[in-house]
Amino acid sequence: MRAITYTRPATAQAAITAFAQAGEGARYIAGGTTLYDLMKLGIETPAHLVDVSAIEGLGSIDTGGDVLRFGGMATMADVARDRVVMERYPLLAEALGKAASQQLRNMATVGGNLLQRTRCLYFRNGASGLYPCNKREPGSGCAAIGGLDRGQALLGQSDACTAVSPGDWPVALVALDASVEVEGPDGTRTMPVADLYRMPGDTPHLEFTLRPGEIITAVMVPATAAGRRSTYHKVRDRESYAFALASAAVALEMDGETVREARIALGGVATVPWRARAAEALINGAPLTRERALATGHAAFADARPGRHNAFKIQLGAEVVADAVMIAAGRAS
Amino acid sequence: MHDDDRPPAFPLTRRDTLRAGSAVAAASVLPPLSSAAASTQSMPLEPGATTTITTVVNGEPITIAVDTRASLLDVLRERLALTGAKKGCDHGQCGACTVHVDGRRVAACLTLAAKVDGREVTTIEGLGEEAALHPMQQAFIDHDALQCGYCTPGQIMAAVACVREGNATSRERIRDAMSGNICRCGAYVGIVAAIEDAAAKMGQG
């Protein structure tokens, strides 16, 4: 592993200054569960680590107002067990609780998790040098296309990259139209969580829209009654501690037995956290039946382009959406 | 599905797949375990910077200069001779390295040692004494909750935290809360039984 310097500033301003002064090779580190892992694999090669996890005030959780505000350095474990989150936003608690293991949720932060990098095995096979990867080495090619693509994306992929966006938490946030507050050299700005992510296109190495030196200081979720009738449904190769084969975040507002407004987002199947608007349109205003829920699930995958080994996710994903809709609808408002 | 007969352009071996730590081809039972040896052998260290940390390990205050890249696990094992926490995967996937930092369980292999400056670390060595085992340690013995024992220190540290978190209220919940700790001998039945037993003795079952 490459030699690194390490600093741990106590304020965001000090961190931004330290990042700028460190120059080339500077990276922020929060929980480190992705970055340090990839440093060990030789895929991330920072020269300077600026630890943002001790920045004062960024670990706070405020679920009392019109906007739920989670400090960027609040741990996934702490947000998952917040009482308001558990009672009124089960999709958020479930998305966090079904991610990783308790050990990692105690380390990882709700800001850092938004920047988790793909688990594409060709991407992670960096040190071997055997497999090209446009994300790891721009222009080198993509070994996943035509390769072992069981875990690759069916939605949003390009000729250059099919890597899946691995997270659960971002999927739930995108369903709820959450935003992030970002602090950087040019001040503070906010943007929708969905806008953090770039489609791979011809430049899959550019994954996020953060500018150099910017820190995610808070994650903000608009309070909504739809939170209660919600779920994050995740199907995996084993029941706990695995990445999603297919997952769905669903939140519903109902009028009796009719769906007034549905929010549906997909995980495990797309190159970015995937809002399924066409599927939402199919169920909005419709009486809720399992049949309609399944049609909604199929609508979510209407544009799916499977590879060699992942076509099973079209049916699986549709069923996951349908089950998620029924689970959410069954919860008391 | 339209499987054709062409071989993939870049065939992966099982070993490559395991090393990549992806669930793609590594079957459906276990999360893949990366080879610590493979990654360290292929990634030679350059001489690095050091940082001095002040921490409390198992109740004992310690000030030590560590390589800025070093993991807490390596510092515990190689510098402080606390070899209870084990290096299984070295990528946060197996749980063998589980220790407590400020009372919460973490993967010591993915924790930069520099990060525990000003914090308290507890390892299996600090949990009980030979003459007075922690109830969880005794329960693992009573329930045959191990075979080879390599994962056991991590299992026990995770289990103690699991109980304290309030996650030991049912077998189902224990299994979910302990999913970050892999036992390749398959002693899970005994492990769950031990945790149920110890939870009652710890007053939190």
Side-chain angles (χ1 to χ4, degrees), chain A residues 170-299:
Chain A
V171 176
L173 292 176
V174 164
L176 290 186
D177 295 316
S179 57
V180 287
E181 178 188 87
V182 168
E183 198 169 331
D186 301 323
T188 302
R189 64 187 179 121
T190 63
M191 67 171 136
V193 170
D195 290 355
L196 260 181
Y197 301 93
R198 293 176 191 266
M199 296 282 275
D202 296 330
T203 54
H205 60 292
L206 302 175
E207 297 173 322
F208 307 107
T209 58
L210 290 181
R211 300 168 193 150
E214 285 188 327
I215 303 167
I216 297 175
T217 48
V219 177
M220 294 168 296
V221 181
T224 168
R228 288 188 189 264
R229 277 208 163 119
S230 73
T231 192
Y232 185 77
H233 189 46
K234 180 177 179 183
V235 172
R236 347 174 204 186
D237 279 327
R238 63 173 201 167
E239 186 55 29
S240 186
Y241 196 26
F243 288 90
L245 288 172
S247 67
V250 172
L252 301 176
E253 288 178 72
M254 307 281 292
D255 279 328
E257 297 300 303
T258 300
V259 177
R260 188 184 332 134
E261 189 183 353
R263 302 144 175 271
I264 303 173
L266 310 177
V269 293
T271 52
V272 297
W274 195 265
R275 185 79 180 258
R277 301 225 182 241
E280 293 172 2
L282 191 68
I283 200 166
N284 286 342
L288 181 68
T289 60
R290 162 81 200 184
E291 195 176 18
R292 176 63 74 128
L294 187 57
T296 302
H298 282 297

Side-chain angles (χ1 to χ4, degrees), chain A residues 1-6 8 29-34 36-45 49 51-54 75 77-78 81 97-98 100-107 119-125 127-128 130-132 140-152 236-243 245 305-312, chain B residues 1-13 16-17 19-25 27-31 34 39-40 42-51 67-72 74 87 90-95 98-99 104-119 154 158 165 167 175-177 179-182 188:
Chain A
M1 198 187 296
R2 185 179 178 185
I4 52 170
T5 67
Y6 172 87
R8 188 171 41 178
I29 185 167
T33 52
T34 284
Y36 193 26
D37 178 35
L38 291 174
M39 286 164 63
K40 291 183 179 196
L41 290 172
I43 292 165
E44 291 274 11
T45 55
L49 291 183
D51 187 342
V52 291
S53 65
T75 65
D78 281 344
R81 71 179 177 193
K98 292 179 180 181
S101 64
Q102 185 66 31
Q103 283 93 321
L104 300 183
R105 294 191 293 269
N106 281 338
M107 303 164 68
R119 302 295 294 191
C120 172
L121 66 88
Y122 296 98
F123 169 75
R124 287 176 61 83
N125 244 301
S128 72
L130 288 175
Y131 307 106
S140 63
C142 173
I145 296 173
L148 292 181
D149 61 4
R150 182 172 180 267
Q152 302 303 117
R236 347 174 204 186
D237 279 327
R238 63 173 201 167
E239 186 55 29
S240 186
Y241 196 26
F243 288 90
L245 288 172
R305 288 176 291 129
R308 289 160 55 96
H309 305 293
N310 60 359
F312 74 100
Chain B
M1 167 134 14
H2 49 82
D3 252 347
D4 60 30
D5 294 321
R6 282 177 299 138
F10 303 95
L12 271 183
T13 65
D16 292 326
T17 305
R19 190 185 298 162
S22 164
V24 172
S28 57
V29 182
L30 293 174
S34 305
S39 61
T40 47
S42 58
M43 299 303 300
L45 283 177
E46 313 174 356
T50 59
T51 184
D67 190 301
T68 47
R69 296 163 291 186
S71 68
L72 174 59
D74 282 345
K87 186 178 282 193
D90 208 26
H91 287 277
Q93 298 173 0
C94 76
T98 303
V99 300
R104 310 178 103 193
R105 51 172 155 160
V106 300
C109 74
L110 284 189
T111 301
L112 278 174
K115 275 179 162 286
V116 301
D117 181 43
R119 306 175 77 181
E165 291 153 7
N167 281 326
R175 278 197 285 264
D176 184 51
S179 65
N181 291 76
I182 307 302
Y188 296 110

Side-chain angles (χ1 to χ4, degrees), chain B residues 9-203:
Chain B
F10 303 95
L12 271 183
T13 65
R14 178 171 169 78
R15 180 185 170 83
D16 292 326
T17 305
L18 291 174
R19 190 185 298 162
S22 164
V24 172
S28 57
V29 182
L30 293 174
L33 303 180
S34 305
S35 159
S39 61
T40 47
Q41 278 165 15
S42 58
M43 299 303 300
L45 283 177
E46 313 174 356
T50 59
T51 184
T52 299
I53 60 172
T54 298
T55 176
V56 175
V57 179
N58 295 334
E60 194 181 324
I62 289 171
T63 298
I64 184 174
V66 299
D67 190 301
T68 47
R69 296 163 291 186
S71 68
L72 174 59
L73 178 63
D74 282 345
V75 168
L76 289 171
R77 292 181 55 85
E78 310 294 336
R79 304 287 305 284
L80 302 178
L82 295 169
T83 54
K86 296 293 187 282
K87 186 178 282 193
C89 68
D90 208 26
H91 287 277
Q93 298 173 0
C94 76
C97 67
T98 303
V99 300
H100 298 178
V101 173
D102 288 348
R104 310 178 103 193
R105 51 172 155 160
V106 300
C109 74
L110 284 189
T111 301
L112 278 174
K115 275 179 162 286
V116 301
D117 181 43
R119 306 175 77 181
E120 285 193 31
V121 179
T122 306
T123 71
I124 189 76
E125 289 90 344
L127 195 63
E129 292 170 17
E130 212 163 326
L133 294 179
H134 185 280
M136 191 64 75
Q137 292 172 310
Q138 188 60 51
F140 267 63
I141 295 169
D142 294 345
H143 292 272
D144 252 349
L146 59 133
Q147 186 173 305
C148 82
Y150 192 81
C151 73
T152 309
Q155 296 278 3
I156 289 177
M157 295 307 287
V160 169
C162 168
V163 174
R164 289 180 183 158
E165 291 153 7
N167 281 326
T169 51
S170 70
R171 289 185 173 219
E172 291 262 295
R173 225 170 140 186
I174 291 170
R175 278 197 285 264
D176 184 51
M178 291 295 292
S179 65
N181 291 76
I182 307 302
C183 170
R184 303 205 86 164
C185 302
Y188 296 110
V189 172
I191 290 169
V192 173
I195 295 171
E196 275 192 303
D197 184 6
K201 288 170 181 155
M202 290 167 69

